[in-house]
């Protein structure tokens, strides 16, 4: 038994975890000791005989739990990016223990009494701006967790939270159950219209299910969406679409309808305990949007133009469908299929023609170069530093003066043991409470790795390349952070602001300045032809009516559900029917997520009354990027400098104040409407 690395000084360059020494059995004792240490630290704060001061209460709280934080970050990153049965077992064991630990601190009456006392005297404490905000936000977080309630009410809050955690887990498992149970088994003759990559995926899915020689379509988005887009078998598209939209609705053990009713009732009760009429009012009170009215205004501003654009799209789809002999109304299982054909006809775009120009390494270079132009950063490969998997590349980040900024780990490939999707995370946050601590960032993607033995580079789709830039934008938010306190660092901002730095950075992927330089053919090295680039950029607003209706309808039903003052009387089926009728949701489009499988809302609480946040941030990113195009230089140095201030500020200032300081005015929605092709319909 070697020494547990979590109990030793790492002594590694820039504090990178010693991945080669960390083994699963090191985590449980490190978690246990980390929690014990923090409980002792909190007890010492509470036991202090002196009247509470900012340093011995708020700053002491910021210093607490360092070991736990270090263990937790290494663990959660490895469990997401490179997991195994041993880590998964530890996750099941420690998730409830860690939740209980957090609740114990959040509802500690002695700790809250000190914070509340400081808060009451905050005007006389001579605090700096970041300290004042830290105190106010800390206080608010305790209050929103239930610190002001009576002991009975606190007990009820705890019981509700516990029950909600169980219901959220069951909800997600039911969706997974329906996705696992259903499969569409096909023969060669049923594959009409499917391109090579979709056939190969269906064959692979069949092989995994021991159905050699056959083909299987599943309800995973990566399986069913290509099928609905390319299959010319309308009968099969219908079967697949009906199964997809029925997830979570089947009567029996995996029915999510009763869970929705109970979750909504408990959320309503929790909101009322905390003094709010509805859960949406509670949730939005601590957001940029602030009120349900503000969210509704934004969604409705997009809703009618989106429906109007979708009507135009439907007409084009119907013309093509008629020409191809369809004499019935367009159905939801037809939209993707005919939209792809119209796209091909109108823009002459073919994935196979585009991909060779998007080499992964070139797109990474484009992202780094953009960060150099805008923020003065440089990236140097550090193959000498340890990583947790051979595919992970480690980069050292420096500023224009050559000073070390942080480390950036890039983990781009799909593999077993890695969760799907794309995300940005951290092994260490920037802070400067007791001297400078530099950040260690990791970006995860799930690109299919090329056959590296053959020496072929990995090629990306246009969407993949945008995802790469999106996560890198989050990464820059962490890297550029310049704050004093850990809990204000980098991405620790409100949920409806956190997508701004990532979404605005996406814009630079497709600027002609970058495409001309970095979109080069992987074999010939030639730059992307101007005509192809033109067709690519022209097609960007194609089918945006559909996409906007599909997204916005789901954001609206989220809002309507959570602002219902009597959620305990909810009948989910009737609610959905009435919602679709009231808002006039086009029947050929429907909801991106129906309530019975809306995991953002019910498989966890994070996005409940919060699904609007993507669109909220898009108002800012579209309006913010327009400042660069208006200036006539997408790398305008003065604008870059002001944008950098947003990335650097973390949660030390109000997000709207930060935005105004960058833009010189409040955000306007016009750029978003243009970006989605909705402006001309008004
Ligand atoms: Zn994001």
């Amino acid at each position: 038994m070697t020494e547990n690395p979590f109990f030793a000084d790492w002594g590694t360059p820039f504090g990178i975890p010693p991945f080669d020494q960390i083994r699963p059995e090191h985590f449980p004792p490190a978690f246990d000791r980390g929690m014990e240490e923090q409980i002792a630290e909190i007890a010492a704060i509470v036991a202090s005989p002196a009247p509470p001061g900012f340093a011995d209460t708020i700053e002491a709280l910021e210093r607490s739990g360092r070991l736990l934080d270090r263990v937790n970050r290494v663990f959660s990153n490895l469990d997401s990016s490179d997991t195994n049965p041993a880590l998964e077992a530890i996750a099941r064991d420690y998730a409830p223990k860690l939740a209980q630990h957090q609740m114990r601190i959040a509802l500690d009456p002695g700790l809250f009494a000190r914070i509340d006392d400081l808060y009451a005297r905050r005007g006389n404490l001579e605090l700096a701006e970041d300290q004042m905000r830290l105190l106010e936000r800390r206080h608010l977080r305790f209050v929103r967790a239930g610190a002001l309630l009576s002991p009975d009410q606190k007990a009820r809050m705890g019981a509700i939270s516990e029950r909600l955690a169980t219901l959220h887990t069951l909800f997600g498992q039911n969706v997974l159950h329906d996705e696992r149970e259903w499969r569409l088994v096909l023969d060669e003759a049923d594959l009409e219209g499917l391109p090579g990559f979709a056939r190969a995926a269906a064959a692979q899915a069949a092989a995994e299910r021991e159905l050699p020689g056959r083909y299987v379509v599943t309800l995973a988005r990566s399986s069913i969406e290509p099928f609905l887009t390319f299959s010319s078998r309308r009968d099969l598209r219908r079967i697949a679409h009906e199964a997809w939209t029925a997830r979570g609705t089947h009567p029996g053990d995996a029915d999510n309808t009763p869970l929705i009713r109970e979750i909504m009732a408990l959320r309503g009760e929790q909101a009322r305990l905390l003094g709010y009429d509805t859960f949406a009012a509670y949730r939005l009170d601590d957001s940029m949007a602030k009120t349900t009215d503000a969210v509704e205004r934004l969604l409705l501003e997009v809703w009618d133009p989106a429906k109007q654009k979708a009507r135009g799209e439907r007409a084009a789809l119907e013309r093509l469908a008629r020409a191809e002999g369809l004499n019935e109304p367009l159905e939801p299982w037809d939209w993707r299929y005919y939209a792809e054909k119209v796209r091909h006809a109108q823009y002459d775009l073919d994935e196979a023609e585009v991909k060779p120009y998007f080499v992964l390494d070139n797109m990474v270079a484009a992202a780094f170069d953009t960060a150099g132009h805008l923020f003065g950063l440089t990236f140097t490969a550090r193959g000498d530093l340890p990583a947790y998997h051979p595919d992970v590349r480690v980069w050292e980040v420096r500023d224009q003066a050559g000073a070390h900024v942080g480390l950036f780990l890039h983990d781009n490939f799909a593999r077993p043991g890695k969760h799907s999707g794309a995300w940005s995370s951290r092994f260490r946050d920037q802070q400067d409470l007791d001297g400078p601590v530099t950040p260690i960032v990791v970006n995860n993607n799930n690109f299919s790795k090329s056959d590296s033995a053959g020496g072929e580079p990995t090629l990306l789709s246009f969407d993949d390349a945008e995802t790469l830039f999106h996560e890198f934008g989050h990464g820059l938010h962490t890297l550029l952070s310049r704050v004093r306190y850990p809990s204000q660092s980098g991405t620790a901002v409100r949920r409806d602001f956190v997508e701004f730095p990532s979404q605005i950075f996406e814009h630079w992927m497709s600027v002609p300045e970058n495409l001309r330089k970095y979109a080069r053919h992987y074999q010939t090295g030639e730059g992307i032809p101007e005509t192809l680039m033109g067709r690519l950029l022209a097609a960007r607003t194609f089918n945006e009516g559909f996409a906007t209706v599909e997204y916005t309808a789901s954001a609206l039903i989220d809002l309507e559900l959570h602002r219902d003052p009597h959620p305990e009387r909810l009948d989910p089926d009737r609610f959905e029917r009435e919602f679709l009728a009231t808002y006039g949701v086009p029947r050929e489009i429907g909801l991106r997520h129906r309530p019975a499988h809306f995991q953002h809302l019910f498989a966890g609480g994070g996005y409940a009354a919060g699904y609007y946040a993507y669109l909220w941030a898009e108002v800012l990113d579209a309006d913010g990027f327009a400042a660069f195009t208006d200036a006539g230089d997408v790398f305008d140095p003065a604008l870059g400098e002001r944008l950098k201030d947003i990335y650097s500020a973390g949660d030390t200032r109000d997000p709207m104040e930060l935005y105004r300081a960058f833009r010189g005015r409040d955000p306007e929605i016009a750029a978003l409407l243009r970006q989605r092709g909705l402006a001309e319909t008004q």
Side-chain angles (χ1 to χ4, degrees):
M1 183 84 186
T2 55
E3 205 195 335
N4 191 324
F6 290 106
F7 301 150
D9 219 338
W10 287 347
T12 51
F14 315 113
I16 194 168
F19 294 113
D20 46 347
Q21 294 167 34
I22 296 170
R23 289 196 305 278
E25 64 265 30
H26 294 138
F27 288 108
F31 271 129
D32 290 341
R33 195 192 286 185
M35 287 189 278
E36 274 165 35
E37 276 186 19
Q38 193 173 23
I39 292 301
E41 286 159 344
I42 301 295
I45 296 172
V46 176
S48 166
F54 188 83
D56 69 9
T57 304
I58 300 296
E59 289 190 341
L61 193 53
E62 289 286 309
R63 281 192 185 92
S64 76
R66 279 196 180 169
L67 172 60
L68 182 59
D69 187 60
R70 185 155 83 149
V71 181
N72 212 355
R73 280 166 193 271
V74 174
F75 180 79
S76 61
N77 279 310
L78 294 185
D79 188 40
S80 305
S81 306
D82 197 25
T83 195
N84 56 51
L87 292 181
E88 286 175 325
I90 296 167
R92 282 193 297 274
D93 193 12
Y94 275 84
K97 291 182 187 172
L98 291 166
Q100 198 183 31
H101 174 76
Q102 298 304 338
M103 280 299 276
R104 187 170 162 186
I105 297 170
L107 294 176
D108 186 316
L111 182 61
F112 179 69
R114 291 180 72 87
I115 295 171
D116 198 36
D117 179 76
L118 280 171
Y119 180 75
R121 296 185 285 115
R122 66 190 182 285
N124 304 321
L125 298 173
E126 297 182 354
L127 298 176
E129 189 186 357
D130 62 333
Q131 295 176 317
M132 181 62 89
R133 185 168 171 88
L134 180 64
L135 172 56
E136 288 173 350
R137 305 266 326 132
R138 275 280 184 195
H139 186 263
L140 185 67
R141 223 183 300 167
F142 274 82
V143 171
R144 287 175 61 81
L148 291 175
L149 301 180
S150 71
D152 281 358
Q153 290 172 319
K154 277 186 188 167
R156 182 63 190 147
M157 283 292 284
I160 292 174
S161 298
E162 216 177 295
R163 178 66 184 154
L164 279 174
T166 301
L167 292 168
H168 293 158
T169 306
L170 290 174
F171 187 96
Q173 287 175 350
N174 286 346
V175 176
L176 190 64
H177 170 271
D178 283 1
E179 289 178 351
R180 253 196 326 246
E181 288 299 294
W182 190 88
R183 65 179 75 165
L184 183 60
V185 183
L186 304 175
D187 293 315
E188 181 79 40
D190 302 320
L191 304 183
E192 231 173 285
L194 294 190
F197 79 90
R199 285 168 185 253
Q204 175 65 26
E208 284 165 7
R209 288 159 182 78
E210 288 168 3
L211 294 163
R214 307 196 75 189
Y215 299 86
V216 164
V217 175
T218 73
L219 293 178
R221 208 169 254 280
S222 57
S223 175
I224 191 152
E225 281 209 315
F227 186 77
L228 292 172
T229 303
F230 294 106
S231 171
S232 46
R233 285 282 299 275
R234 192 170 191 242
D235 57 331
L236 298 178
R237 290 202 312 267
R238 176 180 185 161
I239 291 170
H241 189 273
E242 285 179 345
W244 196 32
T245 51
R247 286 169 298 150
T249 64
H250 304 291
D253 289 345
D255 186 1
N256 270 336
T257 314
L259 302 189
I260 293 175
R261 208 176 291 133
E262 191 179 351
I263 289 170
M264 292 302 303
L266 290 174
R267 284 182 184 160
E269 185 183 348
Q270 220 166 28
R272 283 193 300 276
L273 276 167
L274 293 164
Y276 296 88
D277 292 338
T278 67
F279 184 81
Y282 162 67
R283 171 49 56 85
L284 290 165
D285 196 21
D286 187 30
S287 70
M288 268 185 100
K290 202 73 187 152
T291 64
T292 55
D293 286 352
V295 171
E296 182 181 38
R297 263 199 307 279
L298 170 66
L299 295 176
L300 291 184
E301 200 144 5
V302 168
W303 181 238
D304 282 328
K307 280 204 293 183
Q308 203 178 325
K309 180 160 164 52
R311 275 196 289 277
E313 291 168 1
R314 187 183 59 197
L317 267 46
E318 277 171 345
R319 272 195 302 279
L320 190 97
R322 296 287 164 271
E324 295 207 340
L326 180 74
N327 291 312
E328 291 167 46
L330 213 60
E331 297 289 347
W333 45 90
D334 295 324
W335 192 291
R336 287 174 177 79
Y337 176 73
Y338 288 108
E340 179 60 22
K341 293 194 163 219
V342 171
R343 188 176 89 113
H344 202 280
Q346 279 182 6
Y347 299 97
D348 189 22
L349 270 182
D350 180 354
E351 186 80 0
E353 191 190 355
V354 173
K355 261 192 157 179
Y357 291 97
F358 288 84
V359 177
L360 170 63
D361 286 351
N362 292 349
M363 289 300 117
V364 171
F368 288 174
D369 199 19
T370 302
H373 281 304
L374 290 172
F375 308 130
L377 299 180
T378 57
F379 294 75
T380 312
R382 290 292 304 252
D384 55 315
L385 297 181
Y388 54 86
H389 189 277
D391 281 348
V392 180
R393 298 199 70 184
V394 183
W395 302 85
E396 187 186 351
V397 189
R398 293 173 178 274
D399 65 16
Q400 54 269 71
H404 177 81
V405 167
L407 292 177
F408 177 69
L409 279 63
H410 222 176
D411 186 351
N412 283 318
F413 300 117
R415 60 172 171 266
K418 184 171 179 178
H419 285 222
S420 60
W423 66 96
S424 179
S425 180
R426 301 96 64 204
F427 285 98
R428 189 169 77 177
D429 271 326
Q430 181 275 334
Q431 54 142 313
D432 202 0
L433 181 51
D434 299 305
V437 173
T438 52
I440 304 170
V441 180
V442 57
N443 270 191
N444 278 278
N445 289 293
N446 264 288
F447 305 138
S448 308
K449 196 178 181 180
S450 64
D451 167 25
S452 44
E456 299 278 290
T458 295
L459 303 177
L460 305 183
S461 69
F462 194 81
D463 287 352
D464 287 342
E466 269 188 349
T467 301
L468 181 92
F469 271 64
H470 178 100
E471 300 311 334
F472 189 61
H474 285 305
L476 291 171
H477 200 186
T478 305
L479 283 166
L480 289 166
S481 176
R482 290 291 173 276
V483 304
R484 180 162 28 170
Y485 298 107
S487 70
Q488 293 179 324
S489 190
T491 53
V493 298
R494 289 204 175 95
R495 186 177 300 282
D496 52 6
F497 191 59
V498 77
E499 297 298 334
F500 169 74
S502 54
Q503 289 183 179
I504 193 171
F505 201 78
E506 281 179 47
H507 290 264
W508 277 277
M509 196 286 288
S510 53
V511 294
E513 290 82 344
N514 270 342
L515 289 179
R516 287 192 187 111
K517 192 164 166 195
Y518 291 103
R520 313 202 77 88
H521 197 280
Y522 78 105
Q523 284 165 323
T524 66
E526 274 170 52
I528 188 167
E530 291 288 319
T531 53
L532 178 57
M533 188 167 81
R535 279 182 278 143
L536 251 180
L537 299 180
R540 301 205 64 190
T541 58
F542 175 73
N543 211 36
E544 278 292 297
F546 171 86
T548 309
V549 163
E550 198 194 29
Y551 163 82
T552 309
S554 287
L556 282 165
I557 203 169
D558 169 31
L559 179 68
E560 290 291 9
L561 277 165
H562 288 100
R563 73 172 175 189
D564 179 352
H566 296 291
E568 64 284 353
R569 299 181 202 154
L570 179 75
D571 173 348
D573 288 336
R574 208 182 69 199
F575 186 91
E576 185 181 345
R577 276 197 309 276
E578 289 177 357
F579 171 83
L580 294 172
T582 307
Y583 280 89
V585 178
R587 54 176 290 282
E588 320 80 358
I589 299 179
L591 300 161
R592 183 170 175 82
H593 308 283
R594 292 182 62 202
H597 47 254
F598 204 160
Q599 303 199 69
H600 285 81
L601 267 49
F602 300 119
Y607 275 86
Y611 196 63
Y612 74 95
Y614 296 98
L615 194 71
W616 186 268
E618 195 178 325
V619 174
L620 305 182
D621 80 64
D623 185 66
F625 186 72
F628 287 89
T629 45
D630 291 351
D633 178 4
V634 294
F635 299 118
D636 184 272
L639 281 169
E641 200 55 46
R642 296 215 299 273
L643 183 62
K644 188 176 165 187
D645 290 341
I646 294 185
Y647 284 77
S648 303
D651 194 42
T652 57
R653 289 173 66 193
D654 177 73
M656 192 53 92
E657 248 175 60
L658 281 170
Y659 188 82
R660 280 191 205 108
F662 156 66
R663 194 64 168 100
R665 59 163 172 73
D666 280 355
E668 293 167 1
I669 196 173
L672 174 135
L673 296 176
R674 281 199 304 276
Q675 175 166 305
R676 286 189 172 246
L678 302 176
E680 65 268 27
T681 64
Q682 284 200 310

